[in-house]
Amino acid sequence: EVCHANPSERARFIRCIYNLLQSSSPAVKYEAAGTLVTLSSAPTAIKAAAQCYIDLIIKESDNNVKLIVLDRLIELKEHPSHERVLQDLVMDILRVLSTPDLEVRKKTLQLALDLVSSRNVEELVIVLKKEVIKTNNVTEHEDTDKYRQLLVRTLHSCSVRFPDMAANVIPVLMEFLSDNNEAAAADVLEFVREAIQRFDNLRPLIVEKMLEVFHSIKSVKIYRGALWILGEYCSTKEDIQSVMTEVRRSLGEIPIVESEIKKEAGELKPEEEVSVGPAQKLVTEMGTYATQSALSSSRPAKKEEDRPPLRGFLLDGDFFVAASLATTLTKIALRYMSLVQEKKKQNSFNAEAMLLMATILHLGKSSLPKKPITDDDVDRISLCLKVLSECSPLMNDIFNKECRQSLSHMLSAKLEEEKLSQKKESEKRNVTIQPDDPISFMQLTAKNEMSSKEDQFQLSLLAAMGNTQRKEAADPLASKLNKVVTQLTGFSDPVYAEAYVHVNQYDIVLDVLVVNQTSDTLQNCTLELATLGDLKLVEKPSPLTLAPHDFANIKANVKVASTENGIIFGNVVYDVSGAASDRNCVVLSDIHIDIMDYIQPASCTDAEFRQMWAEFEWENKVTVNTNIIDLNEYLQHILKSTNMKCLTPEKALSGYCGFMAANLYARSIFGEDALANVSIEKPIHLGPEAPVTGHIRIRAKSQGMALSLGDKINLSQKKTSL
């Protein structure tokens, strides 16, 4: 306020605030950094404030504090002129990765990725590579796997934006293809597939590394992807021969059926010890006695591990990988025939590929695998055999050109989508000022206007950032006018009570007005509260004494622990002075806390959505019951009322076909995920005015969240006519 009255005094205050940044109290440092950003937008001031925020995040042990301060850093980044300053601090921001909490690491990596530029990308990649290698040495933990995935994705994004970095990143990441954690390996594989398609110069390096790690891949899904990449991008005679060698090595001795039967027959190896078990008397069908002695051989317990990987997958009954292998063999055989002119070599290679397919078909039809081969896989392998036996130019084109083109189309569509979302983000950031908006000059502002309690600097900063609403929402007086008063007692009760409910990020503040409607003095007037759900009262409000017809405001804090609908209930108890009776009690009506205050739209990949859908055990199925007659309108209505984000791309939802399926996703401020699948249709036989029908399935980790979201959808399904 002093700065508003005397702008010339600002320099002195800024010097004081600079000194406060060195304070030993974290609260003082936090406030000083916030005030400094408000008073000055000079690069040195922004840098000092950002540095102070980073130190606070690293030194504070409470994760909530770390997240709140990180949000302030992200707010700083939103301002275009501050972004440049923060880009120089990327390496300092990355020090926050030493925090074990996954949510903090996620936000930090996202912030670093937003700030990365050609000047600091090399240093960023070096730090991330070190972090990836560190996760390899840590004992396996659920968060370690997820953190590794985050790092892989961040490196992926860096390499796509700065192609020069890809050559440094790929060799390190490809080691993780043989990782036990399938999700991290799948992310690496996706990155490798994109890199090998986009960067022609890296193809030899990627193929060489892929052949090195191929034999150690443990997951069948990753194995299929690796086979596809090798089949698609091996272009030299030597590479094709190497792929065939690796496949033979991974398949083991062929024909598979005969070699497995020989093993089962137990041609005893010299290292096996033979022992004869105790004789046992049995009764035969004819009633005669027979003696049976058990001959057991204690074979080394390595039977399962001894199997080569591909053979193991096939004997477990996973023949989808066999169909993938058949396609790969067909591609490399057709390419080999175009590279090698010698007829004998062509036929030899072709015959070997066909032999491998035939032996797999034989295995699938036998009783050795745990599950028999499916008809689809048989058709696929048979088709590949037919293609190799006929070698028509049309099939050659389909196998060796069309496949790559479809990948190229998919990647370009994905890139377009990313560019579109980035464009939307930047449009959001751009400040839109109408031509007739008044311009307020601080020097020309009247003194009485200046003395208003609003912080002019903060307001102008927010206006520059395009966030004018945020200040209004933060102001308690302004927000009180927007909030509905919750009446807690009746007008005829001796004590009248009403409350404003302020929902902050991790707690709820109840501002309760208590009015004494009697002519007596009320002593020890106490507001007693209790909670239902994951809410916890921080401290009990202290007792008051109310004069006749007097009123008082009582504040109570309630801590929120997880995302679910909560209820706060209680009563007001008091003594009437001079009366000999017991304590009087007025019961308060319940306050319902809405789940929507904690849920925010978020995005995730299709693979993550499917994985979470399989993992989450709580499901709530809601039947659509609405008066909305348009599918898209209903979807938008649900998105608006549940705060969720639609993951299904706009292209997939456009057009009209009478039915619609969409995936929705949201996260709570506590890091809990909520998934929903909307399956709706328009019953055409009931006419154009028929309402939408269908189901919405909600899945969440906690029962409370799944039920609360279902209740919210049920309450808000019908569109109210204004």
Side-chain angles (χ1 to χ4, degrees):
E1 283 174 41
V2 175
C3 285
H4 302 157
N6 304 307
S8 57
E9 301 289 308
R10 269 174 68 190
R12 284 168 62 189
F13 279 103
I14 288 172
R15 222 169 298 143
C16 295
I17 291 166
Y18 266 117
N19 293 337
L20 286 175
L21 286 178
Q22 311 306 321
S23 163
S24 58
S25 161
V28 172
K29 285 171 82 170
Y30 176 73
E31 289 300 331
T35 313
L36 184 59
V37 172
T38 307
L39 291 180
S40 169
S41 57
T44 46
I46 300 300
K47 191 168 185 176
Q51 198 75 58
C52 177
Y53 282 147
I54 294 165
D55 289 344
L56 277 174
I57 297 168
I58 292 165
K59 285 173 187 169
E60 277 301 307
S61 57
D62 187 354
N63 281 335
N64 290 350
V65 173
K66 288 177 190 280
L67 287 168
I68 290 164
V69 181
L70 255 175
D71 285 339
R72 290 308 296 259
L73 263 181
I74 292 164
E75 270 176 44
L76 269 183
K77 179 211 70 179
E78 297 295 320
H79 197 291
S81 62
H82 298 169
E83 194 170 359
R84 181 88 180 166
V85 179
L86 286 175
Q87 281 178 353
D88 298 333
L89 295 172
V90 166
M91 299 316 289
D92 291 322
I93 291 169
L94 287 176
R95 283 163 55 205
V96 180
L97 291 177
S98 57
T99 309
D101 184 64
L102 190 69
E103 198 60 33
V104 174
R105 285 170 159 179
K106 198 173 192 173
K107 276 194 173 179
T108 307
L109 284 173
Q110 190 53 53
L111 177 62
L113 195 56
D114 290 343
L115 293 172
V116 74
S117 66
S118 51
R119 288 179 297 144
N120 54 22
V121 67
E122 208 163 320
E123 294 169 328
L124 175 78
V125 166
I126 289 167
V127 172
L128 293 181
K129 272 163 67 178
K130 280 180 185 167
E131 285 293 316
V132 168
I133 292 162
K134 255 192 243 172
T135 62
N136 208 16
N137 305 330
V138 177
T139 49
E140 283 303 313
H141 184 265
E142 189 186 359
D143 279 358
T144 312
D145 293 342
K146 287 182 179 170
Y147 179 45
R148 193 179 301 156
Q149 268 180 275
L150 280 177
L151 290 167
V152 168
R153 280 182 199 160
T154 312
L155 284 167
H156 182 170
S157 304
C158 284
S159 304
V160 171
R161 276 166 60 184
F162 304 97
D164 300 348
M165 292 294 111
N168 298 336
V169 173
I170 286 167
V172 178
L173 290 188
M174 284 185 75
E175 299 295 330
F176 289 98
L177 283 176
S178 56
D179 199 61
N180 285 325
N181 175 22
E182 190 179 285
D187 278 344
V188 174
L189 196 70
E190 198 177 307
F191 169 42
V192 168
R193 187 182 66 183
E194 191 168 340
I196 204 166
Q197 172 64 20
R198 283 212 178 136
F199 314 128
D200 294 354
N201 57 323
L202 294 179
R203 280 180 191 171
L205 169 74
I206 295 174
V207 168
E208 183 192 335
K209 288 294 292 178
M210 185 69 86
L211 285 166
E212 274 177 35
V213 296
F214 188 68
H215 194 69
S216 54
I217 294 173
K218 296 178 183 73
S219 159
V220 65
K221 190 177 168 189
I222 308 304
Y223 204 90
R224 282 203 313 267
L227 269 176
W228 189 89
I229 289 172
L230 287 173
E232 194 60 55
Y233 294 99
C234 282
S235 47
T236 66
K237 195 167 69 172
E238 291 74 23
D239 283 347
I240 290 171
Q241 288 282 16
S242 304
V243 173
M244 185 56 101
T245 310
E246 280 298 329
V247 168
R248 286 296 298 261
R249 182 180 163 203
S250 188
L251 207 52
E253 192 186 339
I254 57 169
I256 302 172
V257 176
E258 285 172 28
S259 62
E260 282 297 316
I261 288 171
K262 276 181 191 172
K263 259 191 211 168
E264 291 297 318
E267 293 169 358
L268 294 176
K269 307 280 187 295
E271 73 266 17
E272 293 171 3
E273 294 171 15
V274 180
S275 61
V276 179
Q280 198 177 0
K281 279 201 168 182
L282 297 173
V283 181
T284 63
E285 289 173 14
M286 297 161 72
T288 57
Y289 285 104
T291 306
Q292 178 187 344
S293 58
L295 178 75
S296 66
S297 61
S298 60
R299 302 179 66 168
K302 288 196 293 185
K303 188 186 170 189
E304 292 298 317
E305 290 83 31
D306 276 351
R307 280 185 189 153
L310 187 53
R311 197 187 193 93
F313 300 145
L314 295 176
L315 287 166
D316 286 341
D318 195 330
F319 282 95
F320 188 32
V321 73
S324 181
L325 173 66
T327 310
T328 301
L329 288 173
T330 308
K331 283 179 188 172
I332 61 172
L334 291 171
R335 208 168 298 137
Y336 187 81
M337 283 193 259
S338 62
L339 290 171
V340 178
Q341 300 308 316
E342 207 179 316
K343 207 74 180 154
K344 191 179 176 186
K345 282 186 179 175
Q346 281 186 6
N347 290 342
S348 165
F349 194 89
N350 210 345
E352 190 173 1
M354 290 168 86
L355 172 66
L356 292 179
M357 292 184 219
T359 188
I360 289 169
L361 270 179
H362 185 200
L363 175 69
K365 297 286 187 185
S366 73
S367 58
L368 288 174
K370 289 178 183 171
K371 285 182 278 184
I373 190 166
T374 62
D375 291 342
D376 289 346
D377 295 334
V378 170
D379 290 348
R380 183 68 174 171
I381 298 170
S382 306
L383 170 75
C384 291
L385 279 167
K386 194 166 190 290
V387 169
L388 282 184
S389 61
E390 291 174 1
C391 296
S392 68
L394 171 68
M395 284 299 170
N396 203 340
D397 268 8
I398 290 171
F399 272 87
N400 278 332
K401 289 181 186 165
E402 303 281 335
C403 290
R404 200 172 299 186
Q405 274 175 9
S406 55
L407 173 67
S408 177
H409 290 323
M410 189 193 83
L411 290 176
S412 53
K414 194 172 159 191
L415 200 66
E416 258 177 58
E417 214 172 284
E418 279 172 16
K419 279 180 183 169
L420 202 69
S421 64
Q422 280 174 0
K423 194 178 174 188
K424 278 183 186 170
E425 282 296 315
S426 59
E427 278 172 9
K428 268 187 203 169
R429 269 200 228 172
N430 289 345
V431 185
T432 48
I433 299 172
Q434 300 303 326
D436 53 353
D437 277 0
I439 302 170
S440 111
F441 294 95
M442 283 188 65
Q443 288 81 351
L444 305 176
T445 313
K447 282 275 184 212
N448 58 350
E449 287 175 39
M450 281 286 263
S451 61
S452 69
K453 285 184 182 177
E454 289 292 336
D455 185 339
Q456 298 294 326
F457 296 107
Q458 183 69 17
L459 277 180
S460 57
L461 178 70
L462 287 168
M465 288 164 68
N467 293 341
T468 43
Q469 289 81 23
R470 203 178 291 180
K471 181 69 185 168
E472 290 161 23
D475 179 17
L477 291 172
S479 63
K480 266 190 181 182
L481 295 173
N482 299 332
K483 296 240 178 220
V484 180
V485 177
T486 309
Q487 189 177 332
L488 301 178
T489 62
F491 290 117
S492 56
D493 282 318
V495 175
Y496 172 74
E498 64 181 33
Y500 285 108
V501 182
H502 300 286
V503 178
N504 297 328
Q505 194 166 16
Y506 295 105
D507 63 347
I508 297 165
V509 180
L510 296 180
D511 189 352
V512 185
L513 171 71
V514 180
V515 182
N516 177 4
Q517 300 198 103
T518 65
S519 306
D520 301 313
T521 301
L522 306 183
Q523 292 177 329
N524 291 332
C525 181
T526 313
L527 177 69
E528 292 181 345
L529 294 173
T531 57
L532 196 70
D534 248 342
L535 306 172
K536 196 171 83 181
L537 196 66
V538 178
E539 55 187 333
K540 286 185 177 178
S542 48
L544 302 165
T545 299
L546 286 177
H549 303 289
D550 192 9
F551 65 89
N553 276 69
I554 303 172
K555 278 200 166 63
N557 277 3
V558 178
K559 195 90 176 157
V560 185
S562 75
T563 319
E564 56 181 83
N565 288 340
I567 299 171
I568 301 171
F569 55 94
N571 43 44
V572 174
V573 290
Y574 59 90
D575 294 326
V576 178
S577 63
S581 63
D582 291 336
R583 298 201 79 184
N584 298 292
C585 174
V586 178
V587 178
L588 307 177
S589 58
D590 301 344
I591 301 171
H592 290 264
I593 305 301
D594 192 1
I595 186 176
M596 286 305 112
D597 293 320
Y598 317 118
I599 285 184
Q600 297 162 343
S603 56
C604 67
T605 64
D606 285 350
E608 283 175 326
F609 186 92
R610 281 196 293 272
Q611 190 183 346
M612 286 190 281
W613 189 265
E615 282 174 8
F616 292 173
E617 57 256 34
W618 291 106
E619 181 176 300
N620 189 4
K621 193 173 184 181
V622 179
T623 306
V624 172
N625 178 19
T626 182
N627 52 2
I628 299 172
I629 58 172
D630 182 66
L631 295 174
N632 227 334
E633 190 187 340
Y634 179 76
L635 179 66
Q636 295 309 319
H637 179 66
I638 289 295
L639 291 175
K640 192 177 173 186
S641 57
T642 58
N643 254 5
M644 296 184 96
K645 183 180 179 179
C646 183
L647 298 179
T648 311
E650 198 66 44
K651 281 180 185 174
L653 297 173
S654 57
Y656 186 81
C657 62
F659 60 87
M660 179 188 280
N663 289 338
L664 318 182
Y665 177 63
R667 273 181 86 92
S668 73
I669 54 174
F670 310 104
E672 296 171 308
D673 304 289
L675 315 172
N677 173 259
V678 179
S679 296
I680 47 177
E681 64 173 321
K682 172 107 172 144
I684 298 163
H685 61 282
L686 296 177
E689 293 302 308
V692 170
T693 60
H695 290 95
I696 299 171
R697 288 163 73 197
I698 302 154
R699 284 203 183 180
K701 215 167 200 171
S702 63
Q703 184 186 16
M705 194 166 183
L707 292 174
S708 306
L709 260 178
D711 294 345
K712 183 70 187 172
I713 289 173
N714 268 327
L715 287 170
S716 59
Q717 279 200 69
K718 295 203 172 175
K719 191 180 176 188
T720 50
S721 50
L722 295 169

